[in-house]
Amino acid sequence: MPLIPGIGHTAVLVGLGLTVYAVTAFVLAARSADPRLAASGRRAVIGSFGAAAVGCAAMMISLLTHDFSVLYVAENNASTTPAFISAISLWAALEGSILFWTLLATGWAALVLHRHRDRHRALMTWVGATLATVNAFFFAVMVWPGNPFTLTSPVTAEGSGPNALLQNHPFMALHPPLLYLGYTGLAVPFAFGVAALITKRLDEEWLRIVRRWTLIPWIFLTLGITAGAWWSYEVLGWGGYWAWDPVENAALLPWLTATAFIHSSMVAERRGGLRIWSSALVIATFVLTLVGTFLTRSGVVASVHSFTQSSIGPWFLTAILIALAGALTLLVWRLPELIGGGRPSGTVSRESAFLLNNVLFLGLTFAVLFGTLLPLLVAATSGDTISVGAPWFNTVTVPMFIALLFLMGVGPALPWGTAGWVTVRERFTIPLLAAVLVTAAALAVGLRSWGPLGTLGLAVFVAGIMVDEVVRGARARARSRDEDPATAVWRLTTRNRRRYGGYTVHVGVLVMAVAVAISSGLAIDRTVTVSPGETATIGAYEITHRRLVVEPLEFDAQVIETRAELTYSGPQSGELGTALRDYPNSPTAIATPAVRTSLGEDLYVTLLASDPATGAVTLHLFVNPFVVWIWIGGAIVGIGSAFAIWPERHARRVEVEQRQAMGAASAEGA
Amino acid sequence: MRHLRWLLVPILVVPLGWLLFTGFGRDPREVASPLIGQPAPEWTLSTLDGDLLSTDDLAGRPYVVNFWASWCIPACVDEHPVLAAAHDRHGDAMTMVGVLYQDTTADAEAFLARYGDAGYPHLVDPDGRLAIDFGVTGPPETFFVDADGIIRDKQFGPLTDALMDERLASIGFDR
Amino acid sequence: MRRLLPAVALGGLLALLAVGLVFALRPGVEPSAAERADALARELRCPDCQGLSVADSPTRSAQEIRRQISSLVAGGAGDEEVRGHFVARYGEWILLAPSSPAYWVIPFAVVAAAAAGLVAWLARRRPAVADSVVISDEQRRSLHDEVEALDA
């Protein structure tokens, strides 16, 4: 066997061995409460991360050196493939993806076990056992059905080259890593859930730890989903960013339940209880990541990501069923001891708003899962084929999202405990007034589409409540601590990172919501055919066709690009080229739309067809308003959530100050 | 009574497992055709040779309509000899007709030159209208029409010799 | 004046909603043939894409279907007729949204049931303890603000 793939395959085998050993060590450690066994297990997990790293390195080297003795390289690489594309082809197809996935999964496991090595020993032993079991599964998949280091025979002189769609845009480097970091990280809260059910440690301490270990992968998942939407917008050419494709839904499902958990955990922390609900949510989130991978890779549903059908389907299905059945059995076993325990609260209160938020998130999860699986269900029961596409998903989910937006405003305005109507009236009046005024102003200015109008009004309402919160808090702080307003606001927000980080996340969500409403409600498009020299108009833009160019790509001569070179003028001006690329291994040409982004709108041009004889081209022109704000909003969500979980330094400073004060007092007293 | 809660596990796990399991072995892109048992669409189109062919010319005999493309690799390449063999064997009792799906005549002729031309006509469907009338979602798809002009069977994906025999049986050809 | 603000705000909201309702319900202009064709194109699935509508898809089959929709509409066909034309060829699959109303209702029914369940659960657990200390609304408000300001 050639050297590098041999090393890679050996590394995978070592990884399998280490994780199986780790599971054994952890289970025995739990039985005997022997810390050395647990330490050994932990070292094995760290070792498995090393093994995965060696495997990835071997694959990366094989790709960069165009080693076609490896089947994966022969199918996803060619000798002319540029180095950057070769490198990111690690996650271009199934086997490489699983290798990369395992790297991240073992990384999370190593990180968690290392950070908590001195605390919560009983809990962490079972956390280690669960994570090691999950990782052993992935290593096993790489040993049997999905071996990335399968050799070709005979060895071909040239490879098929990477999938055309995956080399058109640099975001291919961004979206999968972010997404996988999110997906793999969500095994950690699951492991904590399983461990807590086994050791009966579902207390506030557990809740604090699990929320943190949910939030960190949640940030990556959010950014990964946003990057995926941005990438498909820039690459696919139909002018949209979300098509409710099964794999888009697959990424969204665990995100929905994880977000629900982040919110309900705040209620659980405040009032106690909700232990069954919390466990169920972390279990559901992890199972949904497995279901998502299954839907993407098994070939059971057709989607944009169906790049390869494969034999790993049955393996993943088995894993899903074992994980779900096992975790559910644990939950049902502990059910009698977990019931109750919370302090009740009023029907109108922050708790009930948060819990209604959970009902909506879970309702969305059900709707998206239902819509994705319905064609499968109908085919299985009646043999008919139906489609469930964007019109259905939009009609069903948009009202739920709107209700969630409303709750996003209402929740923080209501106090914990019980709210009287006085409080409601007080908190909502000014924000409602502001929302009404802004909506009326927008109407007056000419905005007539009710989608953007309603979302805008709702957003102002929610934002108004948040501003009101900051003002009230700052005022109370300024009064009680004798600070000036500016300092009060600064200290208030930076010292309550969880709350104000959370508000920043909500601001990001509002920005995204308004941007989505405006870009989908007010977009205009038209299809035109122009000869060289002719001009077409769309919205405030004038587009002039200069010439049609057919030539090979600079950085990859095997690809022939048919490019329409245009000039445009209007709110933005300049030149652009929109093209269709013919990749040697793809039957149809791949669209390379041109996007000119400004804060106000995107000019988006796709080349549909061209006539080489006359130089005439058929273009699909779009003006998509406010699209960039969707990505900006996503970034704000990322920043806000990072801020929310950033460890606070002031806690230590207060401690120091207190100790100093006590020291001074005792010195005086002595 | 208190052990009733254990039912939760099979109630949640079994339906999900069954549903996801049923997906195996089925091609998710295959669409159930409403045309089975219905009269086949009528058409008058030019062939690659330049002649005009219509369903009137085929009346009274069973015929097979095969949608293919030169870019449909390897499926159309794999089924090409199967189609040729069926034409050789049954060509006197039924008509085999190929239809180009989103292809150019030049590429189609090159394909036939490379993989062999069995001698049956290939229709040029410039706007894809015939493909839409047959509800084709992508090549290769093959329709089996009996002597009365009713579609009796459809093959989604490439044909093998075994599948060809099976489908031909529906329009009256014994195995 | 301050006491009137809630009423003003609520009144403004109701006025906006009324305006919206009037606009939504008034007998609108008949959609033009182009608009009808466009709406239908959004409902039909492109046969050789991954889940896109024929309105969004650049493929040749999608363009041909759009041409057929336009000519059917121009020839006087109603919306149901146009849909039926393509369903006869492709089956229900060509419609991007299932026609059976049950599938549309089920998700909302689930959410409504869950919300009702939540309300019932909360009502059962309502705190039965009455306030033993009587404080004024002013005091409650400022106390609440201070607690909130110090809290995470």
Side-chain angles (χ1 to χ4, degrees), chain A residues 78-345:
Chain A
S79 50
T80 52
T81 309
F84 173 68
I85 307 284
S86 296
I88 66 178
S89 294
L90 174 62
W91 49 80
L94 177 70
E95 293 81 3
S97 278
I98 298 195
L99 187 52
F100 183 54
W101 180 292
T102 310
L103 175 72
L104 299 175
T106 49
W108 282 108
L111 181 67
V112 172
L113 292 175
H114 180 74
R115 264 196 79 83
H116 290 280
R117 64 188 179 281
D118 294 323
R119 296 169 274 171
H120 321 291
R121 286 182 202 272
L123 193 69
M124 293 313 296
T125 320
W126 286 109
V127 170
T130 312
L131 288 175
T133 309
V134 170
N135 293 335
F137 167 73
F138 289 120
F139 277 112
V141 168
M142 286 195 288
V143 171
W144 289 292
N147 184 355
F149 298 104
T150 311
L151 297 175
T152 51
S153 115
V155 180
T156 48
E158 182 57 84
S160 315
N163 185 301
L165 261 178
L166 301 181
Q167 41 173 333
N168 244 6
H169 199 275
F171 269 15
M172 172 61 181
L174 200 64
H175 160 64
L178 283 173
L179 198 69
Y180 289 6
L181 272 169
Y183 259 166
T184 51
L186 289 172
V188 175
F190 170 73
F192 273 104
V194 167
L197 285 171
I198 295 176
T199 58
K200 297 197 277 187
R201 290 276 176 105
L202 274 157
D203 52 18
E204 266 110 46
E205 178 67 8
W206 173 83
L207 203 58
R208 224 182 30 85
I209 299 175
V210 174
R211 196 197 17 247
R212 174 165 289 256
W213 284 109
T214 307
L215 259 171
I216 303 175
W218 180 91
I219 299 176
F220 288 113
L221 191 59
T222 311
L223 292 175
I225 294 174
T226 311
W230 194 355
W231 180 27
S232 69
Y233 173 73
E234 297 267 329
V235 162
L236 292 180
W238 61 282
Y241 37 81
W242 190 265
W244 296 104
D245 182 86
V247 288
E248 292 172 326
N249 300 345
L252 190 61
L253 288 167
W255 183 88
L256 289 168
T257 53
T259 312
F261 173 71
I262 290 169
H263 288 87
S264 73
S265 67
M266 290 190 235
V267 177
E269 191 189 35
R270 269 285 177 161
R271 316 299 273 181
L274 287 180
R275 287 176 296 175
I276 302 170
W277 186 243
S278 303
S279 321
L281 280 178
V282 294
I283 293 172
T285 305
F286 175 69
V287 172
L288 284 170
T289 62
L290 290 180
V291 170
T293 314
F294 175 82
L295 288 178
T296 314
R297 304 288 180 179
S298 66
V300 160
V301 288
S303 84
V304 184
H305 270 54
S306 296
F307 297 130
T308 44
Q309 321 289 52
S310 75
S311 53
I312 67 160
W315 283 68
F316 265 86
L317 182 56
T318 313
I320 290 171
L321 296 177
I322 291 179
L324 183 59
L328 267 184
T329 306
L330 275 174
L331 183 58
V332 167
W333 177 35
R334 294 300 195 205
L335 204 62
E337 296 146 48
L338 294 176
I339 291 183
R343 290 205 303 283
S345 54

Side-chain angles (χ1 to χ4, degrees), chain C residues 26-48:
Chain C
R26 84 196 147 128
V29 192
E30 268 293 314
S32 69
E35 286 171 349
R36 274 184 61 210
D38 198 52
L40 282 164
R42 282 182 215 289
E43 289 180 37
L44 292 177
R45 182 174 184 161
C46 155
D48 51 0

